[in-house]
Amino acid sequence: MTQTKHWFLVPSMHDPFYVCGGMQIFMHMHELVSKLRSAEIITYRHLEDGYRYLDDIPSDELGTGVLWVTWQSHIIELAKRLSAYSNVVLYAQAEDFGRDQGQVTPIQWPIVCLSRYIAADYSVRDPGRLVLYHGTAVNPGARNAGIDRDLDVLVHKRKSVPYLFHELVPALQEKMTVEIVDQFINQADYFSLLNRTKTYLYWFHKTNWGTYEGFGMQPLEAILCGSIPVSNFYGGLSDYLEAPFN
């Protein structure tokens, strides 16, 4: 019996712009599926060594499997390029991007959601759509090392609201030791910082597409590293943050 092949479509595997939590989560889904079925990563924006390119694969080959996509800011592009296929699945890591501008996920695409928050959003907006929920795994490196904590506050500049850095952080710096991450660092170094800090400050703003955080892995990693997250409560954070337990 021939197994159904699963194709995981990514814009690039080498472009630093796409080195992010979303890519790591999508690669975890690829790893999970590959334990059960044949799975292959293919690119659709960059021709890269070691990976086949979407337009170079015969349509009869792609049409016999399952096409997984996740970059929701590319929905218009992907919907056009994959319009001939009925076997596309969106692994949604956020709400539907650009809905007000007509950038809507095709109704025939089933959606597997990273968080219950995303699943609820799609279910309310599109009652006739097939919506499923499947979470992700946390990097096993996120664990409490039991070391002394020499930092009072750790804050990541990316996604943070302007108020955080214009007002709150300067006020905290007058009385506390505050570490600011304002550039890309690898996960091992990031987990080391989480183990050194008492509090992780995570106060995010809406994305350029008007959506909230689809899940918010960083506060969960902070909890696992023994740091206390101080966060707003929008979006997917409601999946696991609950005062006063976290």
Side-chain angles (χ1 to χ4, degrees):
M1 181 177 178
T2 303
Q3 289 189 348
T4 299
K5 184 160 186 176
H6 291 250
W7 311 86
F8 285 77
L9 280 64
V10 299
S12 168
M13 287 295 289
H14 299 318
D15 189 335
F17 180 79
Y18 298 108
V19 178
C20 59
M23 174 67 88
Q24 293 168 4
I25 289 171
F26 197 46
M27 290 300 97
H28 172 73
M29 178 60 82
H30 167 263
E31 180 183 356
L32 180 64
V33 171
S34 65
K35 293 178 181 179
L36 305 172
R37 293 289 188 270
S38 174
E40 181 180 346
I41 298 169
I42 59 178
T43 63
Y44 60 83
R45 281 199 170 178
H46 296 276
L47 291 166
E48 296 175 346
D49 291 339
Y51 300 95
R52 289 202 283 173
Y53 187 67
L54 174 62
D55 295 345
D56 295 335
I57 303 175
S59 58
D60 58 347
E61 185 178 355
L62 288 175
T64 60
V66 178
L67 303 173
W68 290 80
V69 300
T70 198
W71 261 266
Q72 287 160 268
S73 57
H74 300 169
I75 285 296
I76 291 180
E77 170 191 347
L78 290 170
K80 290 179 179 178
R81 295 175 70 177
L82 302 176
S83 61
Y85 302 101
S86 60
N87 52 334
V88 183
V89 175
L90 171 64
Y91 186 42
Q93 300 190 43
E95 306 159 60
D96 208 356
F97 278 34
R99 180 180 290 268
D100 295 338
Q101 290 76 42
Q103 184 165 312
V104 181
T105 303
I107 191 66
Q108 67 269 26
W109 290 7
I111 297 180
V112 179
C113 299
L114 174 62
S115 69
R116 290 186 292 270
Y117 165 77
I118 300 171
D121 179 73
Y122 274 104
S123 297
V124 170
R125 292 175 183 266
D126 298 321
R129 185 192 296 277
L130 176 60
V131 176
L132 305 171
Y133 163 65
H134 187 284
T136 187
V138 182
N139 189 309
R143 61 182 184 272
N144 192 340
I147 62 176
D148 291 336
R149 299 182 183 271
D150 60 316
L151 301 175
D152 294 311
V153 178
L154 175 67
V155 57
H156 202 303
K157 192 169 185 178
R158 182 173 175 265
K159 296 184 181 180
S160 295
V161 296
Y163 162 76
L164 205 65
F165 287 94
H166 294 163
E167 298 184 45
L168 183 56
V169 167
L172 292 175
Q173 288 174 322
E174 294 179 3
K175 298 182 179 180
M176 298 180 176
T177 304
V178 179
E179 180 79 13
I180 298 173
V181 177
D182 59 1
Q183 60 185 355
F184 175 81
I185 61 174
N186 64 53
Q187 283 202 306
D189 291 339
Y190 184 60
F191 294 152
S192 177
L193 282 174
L194 286 175
N195 268 280
R196 290 176 52 200
T197 188
K198 300 169 186 174
T199 304
Y200 179 66
L201 188 56
Y202 188 75
W203 206 328
F204 64 87
H205 57 70
K206 283 187 175 183
T207 68
N208 293 335
W209 294 275
T211 60
Y212 290 111
E213 186 71 272
F215 182 71
M217 185 68 76
Q218 297 95 326
L220 182 56
E221 292 169 338
I223 293 171
L224 294 173
C225 290
S227 179
I228 300 173
V230 176
S231 172
N232 50 7
F233 200 57
Y234 295 127
L237 293 175
S238 59
D239 266 36
Y240 63 87
L241 284 182
E242 183 178 357
F245 301 106
N246 304 119

